[in-house]
Amino acid sequence: MGYRVIQWATGAMGKTCLRGVIDHPDLELVGLKVYNPKKVGADAGDIARRDPTGVKAVMDIEDILKLDADVVIHAPRITPPAGSHDGDIQRLLASGKNVISINGHTWPQHWGGGHFKAFEDACKEGGTSLLGAGLNPGWAMEKMAAAATGLCTQLDHVKVSETVLCNSIPSPEYIFDVLGFGSTPGAVDPNDPDWPPAQMLNVMFTEVVAQMVHRLGRPLDRVQTAHEMFAAETDVPTAAGTIPAGTVSHTGWRWLGVSEGKTLVTLAIDWMMDDTHLQNPDESLWKVEISGVPDIRIRLDMTKPDHIQARTHAEQFGVAGSVLNSIPLVCAAPPGVVEAPGITLHHKHFK
């Protein structure tokens, strides 16, 4: 059984997903949405460095909505404010296309009210489903850490830590404007919910923490933040430009899920331009620390095989794998927002 797929956006993550769709024997690419006018009209195969596909890139969402497809892989770059892509996703769902998002939407149930209802209504109208997939959000807490809790006879605290060096990201707009690197410490408060980078990330990752508390069967008092900024000690050259000494070169994002007056779940994300402020310069990409009976410690890294010569990072392959292997799930799900299962396996063929 094959699936007809639309790829939405062709940034670093989107382009890796696009290659995965083109290469998969049971997936047919039927549409490609781009944001760069220079890519309009280009063959998807040329953009993905593959053989021609006959599918031409378009910018207008109306051209995408009229296509017949089973699923849209929605992979635009995150941009503040939070929810800036929600309208597009809801239009896709209402048009009869299932959607897999790599930028959150893992637990919009947390927000309730009109926010969640808008997605549910769109799914009902189109007979479709929405699934959040990827690595973080989508896998590290939702699958890796969640599975490990099943080994405990007593559970006190779950912490997932992500540590990523961002100095190879080439986009100045993304690094300085979206993520807040190069800001002046003290000039902004990272815990101000109205600061655009915090507002955007808070919505995405609050859902992750809230969902974990829910899956553990505990009441959620609140999700609170404890974000920190660290300044560069010297000028830090990066692919996006130089981070001047004294400006932010490392942000420690922290979301705490409080249940019954105690912190039950912690999500810690360290995005940085150098490792000056890390206690352990050899920190793993992800670390799971569970306090309970027994205590559990998991460290996980992702590396690219030696025979892969492309500049694609291991994490980008991981996002694509998470998304592609989720396509049968979202296409078979009943209409509505899908809560991801505890495990998603790799399948060479979709049967």
Side-chain angles (χ1 to χ4, degrees), residues 50 63 93 95 122 167 180 192 238 284 318:
R50 293 292 189 269
D63 293 327
L93 292 167
S95 74
N167 60 0
D192 178 356
T238 79
S284 294

Side-chain angles (χ1 to χ4, degrees), residues 15-16 100 122 130 146 174 182 185 199 226-227 230 242 305 322 342:
K15 194 178 296 183
T16 307
I100 298 176
L130 169 64
Y174 185 62
Q199 187 267 348
H227 307 321
F230 302 93
T242 298
S322 174

Side-chain angles (χ1 to χ4, degrees), residues 96-313:
K97 301 168 184 62
N98 299 294
V99 175
I100 298 176
S101 169
I102 71 166
N103 294 322
H105 306 96
T106 54
W107 189 245
Q109 292 91 325
H110 170 68
W111 307 108
H115 178 87
F116 179 55
K117 186 176 184 298
F119 289 110
E120 286 284 288
D121 288 349
C123 289
K124 183 177 180 180
E125 180 178 347
T128 53
S129 299
L130 169 64
L131 174 69
L135 293 181
N136 186 28
W139 188 84
M141 177 74 79
E142 296 91 336
K143 296 185 178 182
M144 178 170 62
T149 66
L151 301 177
C152 296
T153 61
Q154 175 183 321
L155 182 67
D156 300 318
H157 183 239
V158 179
K159 181 178 181 180
V160 172
S161 303
E162 175 181 293
T163 305
V164 178
L165 190 64
C166 302
N167 60 0
S168 65
I169 299 175
S171 170
E173 178 186 9
Y174 185 62
I175 289 299
F176 296 106
D177 298 336
V178 176
L179 296 184
F181 288 107
S183 302
T184 302
V188 295
D189 177 4
N191 292 287
D192 178 356
D194 294 325
W195 184 48
Q199 187 267 348
M200 173 186 65
L201 296 175
N202 285 347
V203 170
M204 184 184 301
F205 291 111
T206 290
E207 290 187 9
V208 173
V209 172
Q211 182 186 31
M212 186 63 162
V213 175
H214 169 80
R215 295 178 72 183
L216 291 171
R218 311 287 185 89
L220 177 66
D221 298 348
R222 63 190 179 279
V223 176
Q224 64 189 43
T225 66
H227 307 321
E228 294 184 277
M229 290 176 158
F230 302 93
E233 297 180 357
T234 61
D235 288 354
V236 180
T238 79
T242 298
I243 307 294
T247 68
V248 174
S249 63
H250 178 156
T251 305
W253 302 99
R254 302 290 184 270
W255 293 271
L256 314 177
V258 180
S259 175
E260 300 177 309
K262 297 180 180 179
T263 299
L264 176 65
V265 175
T266 298
L267 178 59
I269 299 178
D270 284 278
W271 289 339
M272 59 200 179
M273 290 300 178
D274 60 21
D275 61 11
T276 303
H277 299 285
L278 282 183
Q279 293 183 347
N280 177 14
D282 296 321
E283 194 64 84
S284 294
L285 173 61
W286 285 305
K287 183 169 60 178
V288 175
E289 300 168 275
I290 297 177
S291 300
V293 181
D295 289 337
I296 298 173
R297 301 290 182 269
I298 301 172
R299 292 181 180 271
L300 185 140
D301 288 291
M302 304 178 72
T303 57
K304 184 169 64 176
D306 292 338
H307 69 276
I308 301 293
Q309 299 301 313
R311 292 178 294 178
T312 308
H313 295 168

